Amino acid sequence: MSEPIIELKNASIFQRENLVLANVNLTLNKGEFCYLIGRTGSGKSSLLKTLYGELPARDGIVRVAGYDLTQLRKKDTPYLRRKIGIVFQDFQLLFDRSVEKNLEFVLKATGWREPEEISKRIHEVLLMVGLADKRKVMPHRLSGGEQQGVAIARALLNHPDVILADEPTGNLDPDTTLDVMKLLRRISENGQAVLMATHNYTLMQKYPSRIANCKNGTVVCSEME
């Protein structure tokens, strides 16, 4: 039996001093795909921020990629984040540099030093997302879907155990949304856990999977029919 990549038991999620979610129980194993849903303000983003160490985990059990987040020291946060790929709705690319330089920046910031290894890894992740020919292109010359593809490539750079995706298709048209969704599903099939926050119920019906629903101040897990 595989050890969970994400494990929360009786956990509380806080935004500053405000209790957002209580008694949270959620487990995600290697290769699993799970939707995170809930109304605006229900705690989805706070939960994701807790999982990647931006908000402190205060009580219960909160483990991500081998780290006990209730005991996480500030100096360990960069090491945690090497094991987590984060994908945002608004891409968060650096528009003053090319696709290649965006990815190189992340690798160097996370300890990669050898130019040949850096170049090889950039090629690998761009190949995974179908954008190997966009390596030298500036982000503003890419479509929204291509920009999100680069953001997903960036999330994959350090061979993470889990991808946390916060509304990754929120700014995309329907066709591009399907392309990004297929890519995220393929990533989970390759062995990485994926937790994806979304409001897109049409997408969920097309690609049914487990659901973690933020409602009534907690998280309710279910299987989609």
Side-chain angles (χ1 to χ4, degrees):
M1 186 175 176
S2 62
E3 186 179 336
I5 302 299
I6 293 176
E7 183 180 23
L8 291 89
K9 290 184 180 177
N10 303 319
S12 298
I13 305 299
F14 286 85
Q15 178 72 47
R16 296 190 179 90
E17 296 306 313
N18 298 318
L19 178 64
V20 179
L21 296 167
N23 196 33
V24 177
N25 294 282
L26 174 65
T27 300
L28 198 61
N29 293 316
K30 182 179 180 181
E32 277 198 282
F33 189 103
C34 183
Y35 293 110
L36 180 63
I37 66 170
R39 293 180 179 178
T40 301
S42 63
K44 298 190 304 298
S45 290
S46 295
L47 176 56
L48 290 175
K49 286 177 179 178
T50 301
L51 294 177
Y52 61 77
E54 185 168 320
L55 293 175
R58 300 191 192 176
D59 59 16
I61 292 172
V62 184
R63 294 195 184 104
V64 178
Y67 284 86
D68 178 352
L69 300 198
T70 63
Q71 305 294 322
L72 188 70
R73 296 171 296 182
K74 196 165 187 177
K75 68 176 185 177
D76 291 328
T77 302
Y79 298 101
L80 165 72
R81 289 185 182 166
R82 286 183 201 178
K83 298 199 166 200
I84 299 171
I86 307 167
V87 182
F88 299 98
Q89 180 176 342
D90 57 355
F91 320 137
Q92 296 199 8
L93 299 174
L94 301 169
F95 278 77
D96 63 344
R97 64 198 73 188
S98 67
V99 168
E100 177 182 45
K101 292 299 182 183
N102 265 269
L103 301 180
E104 183 182 284
F105 175 80
V106 173
L107 287 172
K108 287 184 174 178
T110 52
W112 292 59
R113 295 286 176 263
E114 293 296 325
E116 285 186 13
E117 291 298 314
I118 289 172
S119 181
K120 180 184 174 189
R121 186 58 186 155
I122 288 171
H123 179 70
E124 287 170 351
V125 294
L126 288 176
L127 210 54
M128 285 180 206
V129 301
L131 293 172
D133 60 336
K134 305 294 183 182
R135 181 167 179 151
K136 301 293 185 181
V137 177
M138 298 297 282
H140 71 270
R141 296 192 175 276
L142 301 175
S143 68
E146 288 170 336
Q147 288 183 41
Q148 192 58 290
V150 174
I152 292 170
R154 180 184 60 199
L156 292 169
L157 282 169
N158 281 301
H159 305 278
D161 293 330
V162 59
I163 299 289
L164 302 177
D166 193 357
E167 302 276 357
T169 63
N171 289 333
L172 304 177
D173 63 70
D175 287 343
T176 308
T177 289
L178 288 180
D179 291 340
V180 169
M181 188 64 197
K182 288 173 187 172
L183 176 56
L184 289 170
R185 295 295 295 230
R186 195 163 72 241
I187 288 167
S188 76
E189 287 163 7
N190 287 338
Q192 280 141 325
V194 177
L195 181 62
M196 173 180 159
T198 187
H199 284 109
N200 192 328
Y201 290 90
T202 303
L203 200 62
M204 291 166 59
Q205 288 171 339
K206 189 172 181 67
Y207 297 96
S209 196
R210 285 181 63 208
I211 296 172
N213 189 358
C214 296
K215 59 189 271 189
N216 301 325
T218 191
V219 176
V220 179
C221 295
S222 62
E223 296 288 338
M224 195 165 185
E225 296 297 327

